[in-house]
Structure formats: C-alpha cells, structure tokens
Amino acid sequence: MTSYDAVVFDNDGVLVELTPMDTLRAAVRDAFADVGVADPDDRLVELAADHEDLDALDAVESTHGVALDTFWEARERRAIEYQQALVRDGGKPAYDDLQRITELDAALGVVSNNQQATVDTIVDHYGLRETVETVYGRAPTVAGARKRKPDTHYLDRALADLDATDALYVGDSEKDVVTAQRAGIDAAFLRRPHRSGLELSVTPTDEFDSLDALVDHLTGQ
C-alpha cells in the first residue's frame, strides 16, 4: 500500500466510458456545416474527430477556406453539445466501480483532455462535485487543445489546487503515464477492457484492471 496526499483521475475510459467515434464524427460534420462547409473532406473529418494531430488540421483553411481557429471553436461547441446530450441520455455511462473513489482519504481531482464544459457535465451528472476538489478539461480553443496531455499544463494546475506533494495520476493511456512522469508524480495505468491489448512503451508505477483494484490497493484492503 502506498499513501498519497492527492489522487487525480483521467475522465474518459477511467471514470466514464469513451465517447463513440461516430458521435464525434457527427459533431464535426455539424461544425463544418456551421462554418459554411456542406461537404467536408472525409480525411479532415477523421482528423478533427480524433483531434490528435492539430497541425494536420491546418489543411482546413487551404481545403475549405476556413481559418482553423474559426472551425475549431465550432468543432468544440458541437462536441460539447453532443457529449452533454449523450451523458443525459445514458449513452456515456459511468463505470460500475466509479463510486469506489469516494473511499479514498486523499484529495481528489480530475484532469481530462476533453473539454471543460463536457467534463463539468459528467462530474455533475454522476454526483462527483462534492467528491473531487478540482476539475480540469481543455479550453475550447486551438490554444487550449495544444495544452492537452502529454503537456502537463492542466495536471500541474490541478496539483497546485490540491497543494499536492505526493500525488498519483490514474489514466488509461500511454499519454497519461507520460504526463504523470513529466509532472514528477506516480502513474497508475488502468487497463479497462478497451485497453486489454495495448502495449505500453513506458512503465507506470502500478497497473490495475479496475477502480475496485486501485482503491483496494490504496486503502490496504
């Protein structure tokens, strides 16, 4: 058992299920329509839905004549709208073991690459507002997206809020492990079923298959 004064959780794939890619594609197509592009390039739709390669999305302007900042704000607005509806309609459920985190004595936080408004909706909808002390998602701008993990920007802010000196970050991706390591804290990799075959090229401090296992370990059960 290891004692931490703060435990910070990723959101999607850790506390709640991942957003279906079809939902994000639909949001992106609506965003393109919002900025006057009726038939967007399919490759750009995929890039914007996945949102991993912002530099490649510079092609939005050369292909469709729309500035990336303008498109991205529409993309974020629609993604927030679609995901908030998904949460309310039961399409983005919490994992069954979510409430186990309330058993931890450490200060708790959430840091996600999803938008702030989306993460706030999830925290409120699933009754976590009194459980977690700080919540960070990305700002809905290109600049905000460039500060996503593995940049430590949002994690650093959460750790400062929690006045943490010995913290653990819990995530379900290699990017989460790297972010924690860059921030100088321990990393727990959560190998949910959607990560069953993922091979990591970095080594987390610990690995668990559920929040049940994580909480049992941290509480000495």
Side-chain angles (χ1 to χ4, degrees):
M1 181 178 68
T2 303
S3 177
Y4 295 101
D5 60 6
V7 181
V8 182
F9 297 90
D10 180 32
N11 178 59
D12 302 273
V14 172
L15 304 180
V16 297
E17 293 188 10
L18 299 173
T19 301
M21 283 300 296
D22 283 349
T23 298
L24 296 176
R25 291 186 187 102
V28 166
R29 290 191 178 276
D30 277 357
F32 271 115
D34 290 342
V35 298
V37 179
D39 187 22
D41 182 276
D42 288 341
R43 185 182 71 88
L44 292 177
V45 171
E46 288 299 314
L47 284 170
D50 183 61
H51 72 69
E52 289 297 323
D53 191 351
L54 283 173
D55 291 335
L57 280 172
D58 285 339
V60 167
E61 184 163 8
S62 59
T63 303
H64 295 299
V66 178
L68 177 57
D69 283 346
T70 300
F71 165 71
W72 191 256
E73 289 182 9
R75 185 264 186 218
E76 294 290 73
R77 182 173 62 252
R78 285 295 191 172
I80 291 167
E81 173 190 324
Y82 270 67
Q83 289 183 97
Q84 288 176 329
L86 201 64
V87 171
R88 291 192 298 268
D89 296 342
K92 191 173 173 63
Y95 288 105
D96 291 342
D97 53 9
L98 170 63
Q99 293 302 320
R100 289 295 309 279
I101 71 173
T102 63
E103 299 174 26
L104 297 174
D105 290 332
L108 305 182
V110 175
V111 172
S112 171
N113 272 353
N114 218 326
Q115 304 90 1
Q116 182 74 52
T118 301
V119 183
D120 281 336
T121 294
I122 289 166
V123 167
D124 290 334
H125 185 81
Y126 292 111
L128 295 177
R129 187 60 66 179
E130 295 184 2
T131 300
V132 296
E133 297 181 27
T134 190
V135 178
Y136 283 101
R138 70 176 187 257
T141 62
V142 171
R146 293 195 188 283
K147 294 177 180 177
R148 298 167 303 166
K149 298 172 290 183
D151 192 302
T152 64
H153 175 77
Y154 295 114
L155 181 56
D156 288 339
R157 294 181 68 178
L159 296 175
D161 289 350
L162 299 172
D163 196 24
T165 58
D166 186 13
L168 175 70
Y169 187 57
V170 183
D172 70 320
S173 71
E174 180 164 315
K175 188 176 297 182
D176 293 324
V177 176
V178 171
T179 306
Q181 292 175 345
R182 289 180 178 178
I185 65 173
D186 285 356
F189 178 68
L190 200 65
R191 193 175 288 278
R192 297 262 193 211
H194 66 279
R195 298 300 191 206
S196 62
L198 180 65
E199 294 185 10
L200 298 174
S201 64
V202 292
T203 304
T205 310
D206 285 297
E207 181 175 316
F208 305 96
D209 62 5
S210 65
L211 290 176
D212 286 325
L214 169 76
V215 173
D216 286 349
H217 174 76
L218 293 181
T219 57
Q221 296 184 35

